Amino acid sequence: MVAVKHLASPAAIPRLPACLSVLSYNVLLPNSQDGWWNYKMYLPPLSPPDEDISTWEYRKSLLIERIGLIDADVVCIQEVSPLSFEEDFKFM
């Protein structure tokens, strides 16, 4: 699936001593309570075997990996749902 290819390993980010690193990430409004974003963004629905990439669980696993690899001092996230923020981002 081409849509995920751009998320391949991030470039090496140099860590400089005594510097503050900030990551700003647009997470595209996940909402694990009703999943409306996922259904809206994947119309028509994906066919097997790609259908799992439209789930929040799959997208969340990518975010956990990316945020962990970058290991920023401060992480800012945009487009989060106030309805499910605590559950969706408790990994942070």
Side-chain angles (χ1 to χ4, degrees):
M1 176 74 190
V2 176
V4 182
K5 297 290 185 195
H6 70 280
L7 293 176
S9 297
I13 299 173
R15 299 287 293 184
L16 303 174
C19 289
L20 177 70
S21 61
V22 178
L23 169 66
S24 182
Y25 216 110
N26 186 319
V27 297
L28 300 173
L29 191 58
N31 184 342
S32 62
Q33 290 186 6
D34 62 16
W36 75 267
W37 180 93
N38 293 331
Y39 302 118
K40 178 180 121 179
M41 297 304 289
Y42 290 99
L43 290 177
L46 298 173
S47 301
D50 295 327
E51 62 191 345
D52 65 320
I53 69 169
S54 66
T55 65
W56 166 240
E57 286 305 313
Y58 180 82
R59 292 178 57 238
K60 182 168 75 171
S61 71
L62 293 175
L63 287 170
I64 291 170
E65 178 186 354
R66 297 298 156 214
I67 291 169
L69 285 172
I70 294 170
D71 193 28
D73 297 315
V74 177
V75 176
C76 306
I77 50 178
Q78 302 119 39
E79 289 197 36
V80 297
S81 171
L83 300 175
S84 59
F85 174 80
E86 288 189 35
E87 179 63 26
D88 292 341
F89 293 96
K90 67 182 174 186
F91 65 87
M92 295 179 69

